[in-house]
Amino acid sequence: MNVGIVGLPGAGKTTIFNALTGLRADTGYGGKGRDHMGTIKVPDPRVDTLTAMHESKRSVYAEIVFTDAVGRPEGSRPGGGLDPQVIQGMQGCDALVVVLRAFANPALAEAPEPLRDRSRFLTELILSDLGPLENRRRRIEKEAGRSREKALLERCIAHLEAERPISSLTLNEEERGQLAGFGLLSAKPLLYLLNQEEAEFPQGVPAPLQAAAQAEGYTLMGISAKIEMDIAELEPAEQIEFLRPLGVEQSARDRFVRSAYAMLDLISFLTTGKDESRAWPIRRGTTAQKAAGKIHSDIERGFIRAEVIAYDSLVALGGEKQARDAGKLRLEGKEYLVKDGDVITFRFNV
Ligand SMILES: Nc1nc2c(ncn2[C@@H]2O[C@H](COP(=O)(O)OP(=O)(O)OP(=O)(O)O)[C@@H](O)[C@H]2O)c(=O)[nH]1
Ligand SMILES: [Mg+2]
């Protein structure tokens, strides 16, 4: 899963990228010419428990890849707006994290106004989506038939013109499929990160902003990039000591990873054995056969059945044999919808 850290210039994107990934990319308004990429592992105590239970040689966690796009000063391009390169970068992402600036950045003339920046950024996404949809509509306008496609395009365009993201439009599977090729930015899962002044962070996010995000159907989370940067430099045990006086139980990294998982509607199924215990990220609603394909295309193709034990039963009963004896091992077919925490052994032939 690839998550883009995006936002207006100078919002603190690179600082947040560094805090989340533990990397040290150059910060400072204006960017330094290239994209940054970093991978983080999603902490999952279930993997640790399975590793201990089966004495696995390796523990493998689900991963999220973050991309921090190069910033180019706003207005460096005629007509302002987002850089085409930045837009192209966003199209390659599974989800977007939009950083909103709520701190005074000495390099920028404007005082922080996250409510305005939020609508500015959303407008950019909407404008970029309108282009290809309108082109398509123009192209098929004169053609006979295609009434369903025309109606779908009309609906999308009207929705965007009302300044609402495509993600908030109710679409069925077929319509979703028809739109997939456009790579619409406003159809992507999106999380707002409000980058707050250290002193303001403990007070939480301002209500009007929360309401605005909610109206669009997006989640808003507060963060102080400055605090996170300081935390990222500490050892894990020290981190907790540091956070407690601030009234925070988890670092933004942990809260963020959880939110990112939830907003993407991701769940994990688990595999375990002597070699490795592992969490595999999948979208909620994935069938057993498709989930098998995450491990290897041969397992998907030669799928016979999935042997499933819920993680909680496995741990409560103390092992696979005990779970089997207690009737907790289920045999599931191709169409079974995998649940979070299913510990699965796939049977297949090649
Ligand atoms: N006071 C304060 N300063 C911050 C915070 N976050 C970032 N900064 C500073 O703001 C400046 C810009 O931060 P960056 O992380 O480089 O911002 P950016 O969004 O990556 O900028 P571009 O890539 O140029 O668009 C840097 O000098 C940071 O140190 C914050 O939470 N509080
Ligand atoms: Mg940057």
Side-chain angles (χ1 to χ4, degrees), residues 5-18 25-32 36 68-73 99 101-108 195-198 223-227 229:
I5 299 177
V6 297
L8 296 177
K13 301 180 292 292
T14 306
T15 308
I16 287 172
F17 170 85
N18 285 343
D26 288 338
T27 58
Y29 179 56
K32 299 285 189 294
H36 310 120
D68 168 33
V70 282
R72 235 192 267 176
V99 181
R101 178 173 67 94
F103 65 94
N105 186 338
L108 299 173
N195 188 8
Q196 294 176 288
E197 212 74 79
E198 287 155 88
I223 191 173
S224 163
K226 263 251 159 66
I227 296 176
M229 277 298 277

Side-chain angles (χ1 to χ4, degrees), residues 73-152:
E74 207 172 357
S76 66
R77 194 169 90 74
L82 287 180
D83 200 281
Q85 221 179 321
V86 170
I87 293 195
Q88 208 182 1
M90 287 196 282
Q91 277 163 346
C93 294
D94 299 315
L96 302 174
V97 169
V98 179
V99 181
L100 300 173
R101 178 173 67 94
F103 65 94
N105 186 338
L108 299 173
E110 287 178 314
E113 241 187 83
L115 204 56
R116 172 206 60 202
D117 288 353
R118 178 204 112 273
S119 87
R120 255 202 218 170
F121 195 83
L122 185 64
T123 303
E124 292 291 346
L125 298 188
I126 285 173
L127 287 176
S128 128
D129 286 354
L130 272 171
L133 291 175
E134 283 173 338
N135 282 343
R136 177 74 190 159
R137 178 175 63 175
R138 215 169 301 129
R139 203 166 319 136
I140 64 169
E141 210 167 26
K142 303 246 157 53
E143 290 182 32
R146 291 190 184 276
S147 58
R148 296 233 309 231
E149 186 181 354
K150 283 176 188 163
L152 174 62

Side-chain angles (χ1 to χ4, degrees), residues 331-344:
L331 303 182
E332 302 285 3
K334 289 180 183 174
E335 298 302 320
Y336 168 70
L337 299 182
V338 175
K339 294 194 186 60
D340 188 48
D342 277 349
V343 181
I344 306 183

Side-chain angles (χ1 to χ4, degrees), residues 173-238:
E173 272 313 304
E174 187 198 336
E175 292 167 332
R176 240 182 271 277
Q178 281 180 309
L179 293 175
F182 291 102
L184 301 176
L185 298 178
S186 79
K188 293 184 188 294
L190 184 152
L191 176 73
Y192 285 123
L193 265 196
L194 183 68
N195 188 8
Q196 294 176 288
E197 212 74 79
E198 287 155 88
E200 283 169 18
F201 173 67
Q203 278 121 60
V205 300
L209 199 59
Q210 186 69 268
Q214 216 156 20
E216 291 162 4
Y218 291 141
T219 307
L220 171 75
M221 193 180 126
I223 191 173
S224 163
K226 263 251 159 66
I227 296 176
E228 293 301 328
M229 277 298 277
D230 296 343
I231 296 171
E233 319 227 304
L234 302 173
E235 296 297 321
E238 292 174 327

